[in-house]
Amino acid sequence: MTATIALVDDDRNILTSVSIALQAEGFLTRIYADGETALKALIDNPADLGIFDVKMPRMDGLELLRRLREKSQIPVIFLTSKDDELDEALGLAMGADDYIAKPFSQRLLIARVRAILRRAEITQPGAAATAGGAAEAPTGPLVRGRLTMDPARHRTTWNGEAVTLTVTEFLILETLAQRPGIVRTRNQLMDAAYQDDIYVDDRTIDSHIKRLRRKFRQVDPEFDSIETLYGAGYRFSEE
């Protein structure tokens, strides 16, 4: 099935050029010049992935993401100004899957779009396929103490309570939980969550870890199973 990408930016030149580039790669695109229009459209008719500019009139990308997350968990890539580190950190903390600083290479953007969509497909029932094209049996749930992760349904629970994770968060946590007590470096977590040699820096992984902890502490204020090993990385501590 052809993926639909929602582009939200008040810069018509970016909307046109990115839309043409994505369509040339076989994607369907829907374009919106402001966040308010995009919010209503995406709630009524969700896309497979969103590319949002951060700074827009009427409703900026951060507010659009915040309000959209109340209804949807579609993957989102932020477009930010080169020096807006605060915007990048806020976007990741609020649930964005990635960010790209302007000016950006369209080749890089398309590579990240493909990587995120591929990760999203992995979490869908029956998405994995063998070389012959037949669907593989879905992987069974991963259970670690009070944590249960079901990759086939993209469902995570802690002590029986649901915890809603983005695709990137799910893959990072799954990597940690697969081998409790084993330290995973930031590079290993990057490899698990970001394929196709896409570069992300240490701050991106740290932001995802902070967001994971915050989400679990919303259902369990005593949650401390993701441990930081300063200078080494992170590990999951199974109870």
Side-chain angles (χ1 to χ4, degrees):
M1 182 179 296
T2 302
T4 299
I5 314 297
L7 307 175
V8 189
D9 199 310
D10 61 325
D11 187 327
R12 281 286 175 182
N13 291 329
I14 289 180
L15 284 179
T16 300
S17 62
V18 172
S19 180
I20 291 173
L22 288 169
Q23 289 174 14
E25 295 295 321
F27 296 108
L28 301 176
T29 60
R30 305 205 311 255
I31 62 174
Y32 308 97
D34 65 84
E36 287 186 355
T37 302
L39 178 65
K40 184 179 187 306
L42 291 174
I43 289 176
D44 292 342
N45 186 18
D48 296 296
L49 182 144
I51 300 174
F52 301 165
D53 185 28
V54 171
K55 294 188 182 337
M56 293 184 292
R58 297 177 64 185
M59 180 186 294
D60 65 22
L62 294 171
E63 179 64 11
L64 171 59
L65 176 63
R66 185 189 70 78
R67 296 179 62 176
L68 187 62
R69 278 289 176 258
E70 297 173 357
K71 303 288 186 179
S72 171
Q73 289 295 320
I74 71 167
V76 169
I77 297 174
F78 266 138
L79 303 180
T80 71
S81 298
K82 185 174 182 180
D83 298 325
D84 288 339
E85 294 184 2
L86 180 60
D87 287 342
E88 293 169 1
L90 281 173
L92 290 171
M94 293 169 61
D97 291 84
D98 208 342
Y99 63 84
I100 297 178
K102 298 179 180 179
F104 56 87
S105 157
Q106 290 187 355
R107 179 182 296 179
L108 172 64
L109 176 61
I110 290 169
R112 294 197 181 186
V113 165
R114 290 192 181 282
I116 290 174
L117 287 173
R118 183 155 49 249
R119 297 201 307 273
E121 288 172 0
I122 290 171
T123 66
Q124 300 303 314
T130 65
E136 296 178 345
T139 303
L142 173 68
V143 179
R144 296 289 185 265
R146 289 184 283 172
L147 173 70
T148 300
M149 303 185 73
D150 187 345
R153 295 174 176 80
H154 189 66
R155 177 175 171 79
T156 303
T157 62
W158 179 260
N159 205 26
E161 295 191 56
V163 182
T164 302
L165 304 180
T166 66
V167 172
T168 303
E169 292 166 354
F170 190 97
L171 291 172
I172 290 173
L173 180 60
E174 184 181 35
T175 301
L176 291 170
Q178 282 173 344
R179 299 187 65 189
I182 301 299
V183 178
R184 299 287 192 175
T185 67
R186 288 176 176 83
N187 285 337
Q188 289 173 325
L189 295 176
M190 289 177 195
D191 290 342
Y194 294 88
Q195 300 175 8
D196 293 344
D197 297 324
I198 291 176
Y199 171 76
V200 293
D201 60 23
D202 288 356
R203 186 182 66 240
T204 303
I205 295 299
D206 293 342
S207 295
H208 285 306
I209 293 292
K210 289 178 182 178
R211 195 168 73 222
L212 276 166
R213 286 171 172 154
R214 183 168 60 250
K215 287 186 174 183
F216 277 89
R217 285 169 182 164
Q218 289 175 349
V219 301
D220 179 6
E222 303 300 320
F223 176 84
D224 61 357
S225 291
I226 300 177
E227 300 179 344
T228 301
L229 283 301
Y230 292 98
Y234 298 96
R235 69 182 174 195
F236 184 84
S237 175
E238 182 179 2
E239 296 178 339

